[in-house]
Amino acid sequence: MVISATDINIAHYIDHALLNPMATTKELEQCCHQVMQYNFPAVCVYPQAVKKATELLYNSSSKVATVIGFPTGATTSRTKLYEAQEAVENGAVELDIVINLSWLKEGKSEQIYQEIASICEETGQVIKAILETSRLTDREKRIAAEICMDAGVSFLKTSTGWFGGATVEDVKLLSEIAKGQVQIKASGGIRHLEQAIALINAGATRLGTSQGVELVKQQKGGVDEDK
């Protein structure tokens, strides 16, 4: 079944992201207000903003997500684990973790597995593995996805958005690999409703974007989609 813009509420798919490293507290407050206003599933912020976001979303059904090892994935496993544990202590319940891409390129599957599995086990939270698909071959995407699924992640996520964004082709591939065992989060460069719907039809169950409000307005006919 092909979903159209009239079949769903696009807001229910959006992880509303504020990942500008220069974002102010005022901007964080505005972002969290939007999350509650539109009932987005989650806000996604840097670790240093987790505690404040948790306070702002107190009693809200929306979750606080944060990024770990972002955006390169090149920090040590111990650093990622500490960063994840501290984020959980501060209120994060969803962790978007960038895998170690150099290990993937070098075929170090066991190291990737151990790194992700330890975070899954030690935190017990929803883990989204960021694969950075725009920098991988299809074979590497498959290997990375299978390792992360075995390690216990809840989501396979396409991208950080720093090195290219989500594509329909990559979401289809990840969805095919996942076979419904885990969910798919498309992230990076999602600005238009037509694009968002295409990603959902390809298999995405979450959309990571800073343009959540604009997507909702586009669905309601409130703005020009070419803006």
Side-chain angles (χ1 to χ4, degrees), residues 44-78:
C44 188
V45 296
Y46 280 111
Q48 64 91 20
V50 165
K51 185 174 287 188
K52 182 64 174 178
T54 301
E55 293 171 359
L56 291 167
L57 293 179
Y58 182 72
N59 279 341
S60 165
S61 61
S62 301
K63 309 299 184 184
V64 176
T66 194
V67 288
I68 304 297
F70 190 89
T72 66
T75 50
T76 67
S77 294
R78 289 181 64 183

Side-chain angles (χ1 to χ4, degrees), residues 34-129:
Q34 291 168 341
V35 168
M36 290 186 287
Q37 179 182 357
Y38 294 100
N39 198 29
F40 295 142
V43 65
C44 188
V45 296
Y46 280 111
Q48 64 91 20
V50 165
K51 185 174 287 188
K52 182 64 174 178
T54 301
E55 293 171 359
L56 291 167
L57 293 179
Y58 182 72
N59 279 341
S60 165
S61 61
S62 301
K63 309 299 184 184
V64 176
T66 194
V67 288
I68 304 297
F70 190 89
T72 66
T75 50
T76 67
S77 294
R78 289 181 64 183
T79 299
K80 286 182 183 176
L81 179 57
Y82 179 85
E83 188 177 26
Q85 290 172 322
E86 184 181 42
V88 171
E89 289 173 4
N90 287 336
V93 296
E94 298 190 358
L95 307 173
D96 293 32
I97 303 169
V98 187
I99 69 168
N100 189 308
L101 296 166
S102 65
W103 285 349
L104 181 64
K105 294 290 184 180
E106 293 176 350
K108 296 179 178 178
S109 300
E110 182 61 24
Q111 287 94 320
I112 298 171
Y113 172 84
Q114 291 295 340
E115 178 174 276
I116 300 300
S118 67
I119 297 173
C120 290
E121 182 177 348
E122 294 296 329
T123 67
Q125 302 301 320
V126 171
I127 305 298
K128 307 182 193 121

